[in-house]
């Protein structure tokens, strides 16, 4: 069965420090991968998605970047954190686009990473 | 552009009372809609999707294209239904697949 792992679960970082959140998926190949940010009253905001290795699409201009160095690995990064980067970050995966067309299109989410920037 | 609107940030009902979580969408085409739920200290997870026409944990949702709505309903609320609920609308194109989420409604069931 497929599983998704996300770490660290909690992170407290000073303003101006770098960030690296990691997400890995097991039990599937060529998944679509996503980074969302969840904020109270603002819902789920899609930050980045990837349909393959090295292919990253950004939905919102951010102080953040994403990379996909391997098929089932998705990394969210920042060179210098801002206070406004604090939040709850969710990684998710879905089957690849070719299988979406067959109706298999559910997103499965990781447990999340809570980032506090001080 | 497609959009999902959940007009209520918070909904409080008494145990045993009916529940309706509202969701309206804006989409040109035939939509496929989902409800996701996040219980306290648990992962965000799929509750149901309209294409399956299923009832999960007593919840149902009917797609009303005329009113562009996909409201989530349950006839008798239970305490364990207290959670954050998100309505979501997928779209695919240019080799990608994404979900647009509403801002969510927090359901609180009062014992």
């Amino acid at each position: 069965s497929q599983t998704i792992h996300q770490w660290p679960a909690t992170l407290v970082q000073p303003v101006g420090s770098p960030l690296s959140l990691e997400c890995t998926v097991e039990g599937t190949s060529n998944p679509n991968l996503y980074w969302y940010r969840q904020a109270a009253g603002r819902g789920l905001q899609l930050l980045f998605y990837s349909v393959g290795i090295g292919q990253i699409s950004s939905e919102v201009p951010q102080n953040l970047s994403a990379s996909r160095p391997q098929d089932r690995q998705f990394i969210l990064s920042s060179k210098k954190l801002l206070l406004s980067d604090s939040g709850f970050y969710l990684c998710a995966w879905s089957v690849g686009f070719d299988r979406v067309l067959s109706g298999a299109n559910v997103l499965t989410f990781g447990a999340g990473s809570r980032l506090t920037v001080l | 552009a497609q959009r999902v609107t959940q007009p209520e940030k918070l909904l409080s009902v008494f145990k045993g009372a009916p529940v309706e979580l509202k969701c309206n969408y804006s989409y040109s085409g035939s939509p496929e809609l989902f409800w996701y739920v996040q219980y306290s200290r648990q992962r965000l997870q799929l509750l149901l999707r309209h294409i399956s026409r299923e009832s999960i944990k007593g919840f149902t949702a009917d797609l009303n294209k005329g009113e562009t709505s996909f409201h989530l309903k349950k006839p008798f609320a239970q305490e364990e239904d207290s959670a954050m609920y998100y309505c979501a609308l997928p779209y695919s194109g240019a080799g990608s697949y994404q979900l647009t989420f509403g801002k969510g409604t927090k359901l609180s069931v009062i014992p």
Side-chain angles (χ1 to χ4, degrees), chain A residues 14-17 62-63 78 80-86 115 117-118:
Chain A
V15 168
S17 64
Q62 298 283 341
N63 180 44
S78 175
K80 288 185 178 182
L81 283 168
L82 305 172
L83 287 174
S84 56
D85 292 325
S86 293
L115 170 66
V117 183
L118 301 175

Side-chain angles (χ1 to χ4, degrees), chain B residues 12-19 75-81 108-111:
Chain B
S12 296
V13 300
F14 285 102
K15 177 182 175 181
V19 175
F76 308 104
Q78 303 298 315
E79 288 181 66
E80 56 265 29
D81 296 328
S108 179
V109 180
I110 305 164

Side-chain angles (χ1 to χ4, degrees), chain A:
Chain A
S1 63
Q2 301 90 358
T3 56
I4 178 169
H5 303 281
Q6 190 179 336
W7 71 93
T10 306
L11 195 60
V12 181
Q13 292 284 98
V15 168
S17 64
L19 170 73
S20 180
L21 301 179
E22 192 162 340
C23 173
T24 59
V25 180
E26 296 176 357
T28 188
S29 59
N30 196 32
N32 290 338
L33 296 170
Y34 310 84
W35 279 109
Y36 281 87
R37 180 161 55 199
Q38 186 179 30
R42 296 169 63 182
L44 283 158
Q45 181 185 38
L46 178 62
L47 301 176
F48 301 95
Y49 69 91
S50 171
V51 299
I53 296 174
Q55 300 178 62
I56 309 294
S57 295
S58 174
E59 287 295 296
V60 183
Q62 298 283 341
N63 180 44
L64 304 168
S65 62
S67 62
R68 184 170 177 173
Q70 301 180 45
D71 181 45
R72 289 167 289 178
Q73 183 184 29
F74 204 25
I75 298 171
L76 183 69
S77 305
S78 175
K79 291 182 179 178
K80 288 185 178 182
L81 283 168
L82 305 172
L83 287 174
S84 56
D85 292 325
S86 293
F88 192 58
Y89 291 85
L90 290 169
C91 181
W93 75 274
S94 71
V95 296
F97 183 66
D98 56 332
R99 282 177 284 168
V100 166
L101 297 178
S102 68
N105 51 6
V106 173
L107 254 65
T108 300
F109 286 86
S113 297
R114 184 163 302 282
L115 170 66
T116 303
V117 183
L118 301 175

Side-chain angles (χ1 to χ4, degrees), chain B residues 67-84:
Chain B
E67 296 182 358
T68 60
S69 68
F70 188 57
H71 302 329
L72 184 68
K73 300 177 183 179
K74 184 170 183 177
F76 308 104
Q78 303 298 315
E79 288 181 66
E80 56 265 29
D81 296 328
S82 295
M84 194 74 183

Side-chain angles (χ1 to χ4, degrees), chain B residues 82-98:
Chain B
S82 295
M84 194 74 183
Y85 291 80
Y86 293 94
C87 184
L89 174 67
Y91 69 92
S92 56
S96 72
Y97 172 80
Q98 301 173 41

Side-chain angles (χ1 to χ4, degrees), chain B residues 37-45 47 57 59 80-85:
Chain B
V37 61
Q38 189 171 31
Y39 301 102
S40 179
R41 297 189 182 87
Q42 293 189 30
R43 299 186 183 200
L44 185 63
Q45 58 188 284
L47 178 61
K57 298 184 179 183
F59 283 98
E80 56 265 29
D81 296 328
S82 295
M84 194 74 183
Y85 291 80

